[in-house]
C-alpha cells in the first residue's frame, strides 16, 4: 500500500476570523491614510505634518518646530491653523484619537514644568482641548505625555533631538482601541 497524501488541516474558524479582522484593520488604516494624504497634502508636502501607519493605526505627527515656544504648552498661531485643518479631517472618522506629547532628553528648567514628562503631557492636553473646541467629541480623545522616553531616534545631536520633539495624533484602529480602552459600563461614577 502506498502512503496516503495528507492535506493540510483547514484553518480553524478562530484563525480565519482573526485574519479577516487583521485585513479589515489594514483596509481601514489604508482608507484613513488615503483620506489624510488627500485632505492634508499641502501640510504633508511642506513637512508640517508626517503620516505614519503602524500596528496602532494612523499617526499624524507634528514636529515641535513652530508649534510651541521652548518650554511652553501654548500652541502658536501657525500651529492652531494646522491643528484646525487636522481637526476637520479627524471629524470625518469616528475613531478614537490619542494625542501623544514627546520631548527630547534635555532637562527642562522653568517654574511651570517640573520635567519633560510634565511638559509633554501639558502639550498633549492643550491639543486635546483645541480639538474639542473644533468639534471632536471628548469621548474620542485622550492625552498622553511620554516625555523623552519614546524617541524616534537616539538623542545624539541637535538635529536628532529636534526630530524627537513632536505631537503625535494617533487615529487608533479597532484592535488597538479594544485592547487599550476600558470597557464602557454606561454608568457614571
Amino acid at each position: 500500500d502506498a502512503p496516503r497524501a495528507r492535506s493540510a488541516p483547514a484553518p480553524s474558524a478562530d484563525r480565519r476570523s482573526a485574519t479577516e479582522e487583521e485585513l479589515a484593520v489594514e483596509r481601514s488604516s489604508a482608507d484613513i491614510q488615503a483620506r489624510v494624504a488627500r485632505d492634508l497634502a499641502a501640510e504633508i508636502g511642506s513637512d508640517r505634518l508626517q503620516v505614519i501607519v503602524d500596528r496602532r493605526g494612523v499617526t499624524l505627527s507634528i514636529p515641535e518646530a513652530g508649534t510651541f515656544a521652548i518650554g511652553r504648552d501654548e500652541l502658536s498661531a501657525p500651529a492652531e491653523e494646522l491643528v484646525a485643518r487636522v481637526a476637520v479631517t479627524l471629524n470625518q472618522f469616528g475613531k478614537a484619537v490619542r494625542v501623544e506629547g514627546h520631548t527630547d532628553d534635555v532637562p527642562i528648567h522653568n517654574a511651570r514644568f517640573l520635567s519633560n514628562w510634565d511638559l509633554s503631557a501639558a502639550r498633549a492636553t492643550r491639543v486635546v482641548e483645541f480639538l474639542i473646541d473644533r468639534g471632536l467629541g471628548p469621548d474620542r480623545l485622550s492625552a498622553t505625555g511620554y516625555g523623552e522616553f519614546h524617541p524616534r531616534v537616539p538623542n545624539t545631536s541637535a538635529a536628532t533631538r529636534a526630530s524627537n520633539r513632536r505631537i503625535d495624533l494617533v487615529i487608533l484602529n479597532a484592535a488597538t482601541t479594544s485592547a487599550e480602552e476600558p470597557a464602557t459600563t454606561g454608568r457614571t461614577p
Side-chain angles (χ1 to χ4, degrees), residues 46-66:
S46 65
D47 294 327
R48 294 180 62 209
L49 185 69
Q50 183 180 11
V51 181
I52 302 161
V53 178
D54 64 21
R55 63 178 171 69
R56 302 175 303 161
V58 178
T59 300
L60 310 180
S61 189
I62 302 171
E64 181 202 46

Side-chain angles (χ1 to χ4, degrees), residues 131-181:
L131 292 171
I132 291 168
D133 289 345
R134 296 305 177 278
L136 268 76
D139 58 327
R140 293 179 47 202
L141 299 169
S142 61
T144 301
Y146 286 115
E148 68 266 27
F149 301 107
H150 289 258
R152 278 209 181 120
V153 294
N155 285 298
T156 56
S157 68
T160 60
R161 283 184 179 89
S163 69
N164 288 327
R165 295 188 303 265
R166 65 195 189 279
I167 290 288
D168 288 343
L169 293 91
V170 185
I171 305 166
L172 300 173
N173 61 34
T176 302
T177 300
S178 66
E180 293 185 359
E181 300 299 322

